[in-house]
Amino acid sequence: MELSAPSAAPSASLRCEERLSDCGIRPTAQRVRIAGLLLSAPQHLSAEQILASLRAAGARVSKATVYNTLNLFAAHGLIRQLSVDGSRAWFDSNVEPHYHFHDLESGALIDVPVPAVAFSRLPPPPPGTEVAGIDLVIRLRKKM
């Protein structure tokens, strides 16, 4: 008896459901939709951008649902929450270690790979603590 090859790759929705489940998150319809938008590519989006995109696609979703879902995703390590300029939170679909350029004019965030940055020394952490990570944002502006 021959086994047939799988007919098609899993749908984007199914892949999102699997990623949510793998992170210990129950994949509700709204969570899958938000994950599908944010995880479709490496990107940095604000909650407001996500909400606007969902509503433009016809989704009926509240601002509170978007914020609660993004906070849940970040708490489970599915995405990374960034505070860049204190005015709003950004949500990064790339959870691998990296740093950021921040274009002050456009607001865009651009990933910077860890090997591209060198620290010659760091101060020792206070007794009883250890460094859990380093967040580096390099702010950019046009040359004057």
Side-chain angles (χ1 to χ4, degrees), residues 40 74 80 100 114 134:
S40 63
R80 186 170 153 194
H100 295 95
V114 170
I134 298 172

Side-chain angles (χ1 to χ4, degrees), residues 79-123:
I79 61 173
R80 186 170 153 194
Q81 184 173 352
L82 305 171
S83 178
V84 176
D85 60 7
S87 67
R88 66 176 147 178
W90 293 92
F91 296 90
D92 190 346
S93 62
N94 178 3
V95 294
E96 297 301 316
H98 66 283
Y99 307 116
H100 295 95
F101 283 125
H102 178 221
D103 184 315
L104 295 174
E105 186 175 323
S106 70
L109 291 171
I110 303 159
D111 288 349
V112 177
V114 170
V117 177
F119 292 99
S120 61
R121 81 185 162 97
L122 293 173

Side-chain angles (χ1 to χ4, degrees), residues 3 13 37 44 58 68 70-71 88 100 109 112 123 137 142:
L3 295 175
S13 179
L37 175 65
H44 310 91
N68 290 338
L70 292 171
N71 289 329
R88 66 176 147 178
H100 295 95
L109 291 171
V112 177
V137 176
K142 294 211 184 283

